[in-house]
Amino acid sequence: MLLLFCDVGSGFCRSLLRSLRRAISLLGGLVGIRLHCRSSSIRGVGGGLGRVFRSFVRCCLCCEVTRRLGCIGSIRALYDASDRTSLTEKLAAGPAAAPVGAPTGGWVNQTSIACSWKGSGALTHSGSVNQVKGDHTLTFDMPSWGGAVKNTWFSLYGVNAADPFREFECHDAKNASGNEFSKEVIASSSKYAVLRFMDWNETNSSPARTAANRPDPRTLDNPGQALENQMRLAKLADADPWFNHSWNDDATYMQWAAKQAHDTLPAGHKIYVELSNEVWNFQFWQAQDNLAQATTLKINPNNGYGAWQNYSRRAIDMFKIWEAAFADRPKDLVRVLGTQSAYPEVTRQEMSYPGIADHVDAIAGAPYFSHDRQGPYSDALLQASVTDAVATLKTTCDIARASAPNIRCITYEGGQHELPTALLPQNQFETLERSQFMGDMYAQYLKAISA
């Protein structure tokens, strides 16, 4: 936990807090970033004692390490107006210690960190080794701690309010300054032709974004990661980005996002754009909102069919905005309509909406295969499920191509969908997952869906 006492009303405090949050964000670049932050403010009135203001800003930075998330640290800013001592006076009078929680289990290997900043103030770091101080720079090594859990912290001394401490940045010394992404993350991402940023946009939470309140690439306090960061990683990885708009993004945000993507997309690359994610899947808010909207608008006497048609109606509105932004190079834009691979009727209803065939380049689904989990497992049943999944996917594609002959069929998820059950015990399940037979099924499946 990093504890910072701060006058939230002062420009100095806001600058310092932004700098510290930025630094912790960049530390996340050691392994790549997945950021979540929420803030709230509470105001109390204490009678004759006057107002007491408290602001809590808590940011949790989680890093994806070999597909596992671990929380690295958090920030909390606390101010009580009854304490008249300014932050500048506190810092000038002595050290302000800021403990930062290390990854659970400690650093795996000794890691070199390089920090820099502008303005006044002397910075030290505790819990590290091999510190080297320079002109507004500090480098140090985080030692390997094995399984131990320890705290580390920065201490900041002697800040002059006339020249505030600012633009504080720390990063893996192996990486260039200002690069949020580690070389390992860039190398890993470079293996793929397309990067789908659905979770980075918090698509399944359906945040309501406008051009005015869009995610800020300089802070952690966002409903999802900023489009600028998504485009940056795609560019560094030399991959095509796939951008998912939230169901509740308004037209101003869509217009801004389309222009931003157009202006930053490298020549020769494409951008895939999709409205929301799995709008047919009722575990997500967007599916429920879509059904309610379709019912209110009376899109179809069958409300289920109406929901799928309403999705196409909303998608057309979004596609038109992006089409306008890419009018000078329309071939760089891939307009994606999400669908359900296992139930072709979804595609049939989506493609029946007037005009949709003129505004879509690809349908995207998730063709999974698994034996019927209501019965005992057998290799023959699993093999049959591969055949069934491929046949259903072909039916879905044929339905779409009846309206739009040149439409592409693409996937964002897929593969086997086995789960341990009473009829497929855990040990048998794990053996199956790692078996040569499962490898053969994947080879058969991938060859078939690529045909």
Side-chain angles (χ1 to χ4, degrees):
M1 175 68 69
L2 184 155
L3 183 60
L4 173 67
F5 292 91
C6 186
D7 180 350
V8 298
S10 72
F12 167 71
C13 168
R14 289 195 297 270
S15 174
L16 176 61
L17 184 57
R18 282 195 300 267
S19 295
L20 287 171
R21 292 167 73 184
R22 175 67 170 168
I24 292 179
S25 172
L26 290 171
L27 279 171
L30 294 173
V31 290
I33 58 175
R34 181 179 178 87
L35 308 170
H36 296 282
C37 179
R38 294 290 182 266
S39 64
S40 61
S41 60
I42 304 172
R43 183 177 71 179
V45 179
L49 297 177
R51 296 179 176 179
V52 177
F53 293 91
R54 288 187 176 183
S55 176
F56 298 88
V57 180
R58 188 175 185 178
C59 299
C60 181
L61 170 66
C62 291
C63 297
E64 187 173 357
V65 185
T66 60
R67 299 182 183 177
R68 300 181 64 182
L69 294 177
C71 188
I72 282 193
S74 60
I75 295 177
R76 175 177 290 173
L78 168 63
Y79 171 64
D80 188 332
S82 61
D83 180 354
R84 300 298 180 181
T85 307
S86 72
L87 176 65
T88 303
E89 291 171 1
K90 290 177 181 177
L91 293 177
V100 179
T104 301
W107 299 91
V108 177
N109 298 303
Q110 181 164 300
T111 305
S112 296
I113 306 296
C115 299
S116 62
W117 62 93
K118 293 182 180 179
S120 61
L123 190 72
T124 62
H125 184 267
S126 298
S128 60
V129 296
N130 302 327
Q131 288 194 24
V132 178
K133 299 178 182 179
D135 182 14
H136 291 81
T137 64
L138 174 67
T139 62
F140 54 86
D141 292 338
M142 294 301 302
S144 173
W145 292 341
V149 178
K150 298 182 179 180
N151 283 332
T152 70
W153 61 92
F154 291 102
S155 297
L156 180 61
Y157 301 80
V159 175
N160 183 342
D163 184 20
F165 179 87
R166 61 194 183 275
E167 297 184 37
F168 179 32
E169 175 187 310
C170 291
H171 57 88
D172 184 342
K174 294 182 298 183
N175 295 319
S177 173
N179 184 3
E180 295 89 344
F181 304 103
S182 71
K183 293 179 180 178
E184 292 80 6
V185 166
I186 296 170
S188 176
S189 301
S190 298
K191 298 175 183 178
Y192 305 100
V194 179
L195 298 179
R196 188 173 188 250
F197 291 102
M198 187 272 291
D199 278 336
W200 278 36
N201 285 302
E202 290 193 6
T203 307
N204 291 331
S205 299
S206 295
R209 287 176 292 219
T210 68
N213 74 357
R214 67 182 185 270
D216 186 338
R218 301 168 300 174
T219 74
L220 307 184
D221 193 6
N222 287 324
Q225 269 300 298
L227 175 65
E228 294 94 329
N229 291 339
Q230 298 172 46
M231 298 295 292
R232 178 169 172 76
L233 178 58
K235 184 175 181 180
L236 290 168
D238 193 27
D240 293 337
W242 182 333
F243 185 72
N244 294 74
H245 269 297
S246 163
W247 184 256
N248 292 316
D249 286 348
D250 79 349
T252 66
Y253 179 64
M254 291 181 182
Q255 290 161 358
W256 174 87
K259 185 178 186 305
Q260 179 73 17
H262 173 274
D263 293 348
T264 59
L265 186 70
H269 280 274
K270 297 184 182 297
I271 183 165
Y272 294 68
V273 61
E274 177 185 5
L275 177 61
S276 195
N277 173 66
E278 295 190 358
V279 179
W280 48 266
N281 189 338
F282 279 86
Q283 69 174 309
F284 302 136
W285 288 111
Q286 58 264 30
Q288 300 174 44
D289 290 345
N290 180 40
L291 177 61
Q293 189 175 86
T295 302
T296 299
L297 295 174
K298 299 180 180 179
I299 299 291
N300 189 298
N302 181 317
N303 288 331
Y305 288 180
W308 300 329
Q309 293 166 5
N310 188 59
Y311 172 64
S312 293
R313 180 185 70 85
R314 290 283 309 275
I316 290 173
D317 292 342
M318 180 199 70
F319 290 145
K320 286 181 177 179
I321 290 172
W322 282 75
E323 289 162 5
F326 279 80
D328 60 334
R329 45 191 178 113
K331 291 184 178 180
D332 288 346
L333 178 64
V334 181
R335 301 161 295 178
V336 179
L337 192 70
T339 190
Q340 186 179 23
S341 299
Y343 188 41
E345 190 61 34
V346 175
T347 302
R348 192 186 314 278
Q349 295 303 320
E350 288 178 346
M351 295 303 296
S352 73
Y353 189 80
I356 186 63
D358 298 326
H359 294 279
V360 62
D361 302 300
I363 59 170
Y368 287 101
F369 64 89
S370 68
H371 86 289
D372 183 354
R373 290 193 290 270
Q374 300 303 312
Y377 169 81
S378 73
D379 287 353
L381 287 175
L382 184 62
Q383 186 159 17
S385 75
V386 173
T387 302
D388 290 344
V390 172
T392 304
L393 178 61
K394 183 179 184 303
T395 298
T396 298
C397 294
D398 289 344
I399 290 171
R401 286 171 179 154
S403 302
N406 296 321
I407 203 168
R408 295 170 57 196
C409 291
I410 61 179
T411 65
Y412 55 90
E413 293 175 4
Q416 63 85 16
H417 206 311
E418 294 293 338
L419 294 171
T421 67
L423 298 172
L424 182 61
Q426 183 73 33
N427 60 343
Q428 185 182 353
F429 165 74
E430 292 179 1
T431 299
L432 172 64
E433 294 282 278
R434 296 164 174 79
S435 68
Q436 180 60 51
F437 177 74
M438 182 63 82
D440 293 342
M441 290 300 95
Y442 262 100
Q444 176 183 325
Y445 164 82
L446 291 171
K447 181 178 179 180
I449 66 173
S450 300

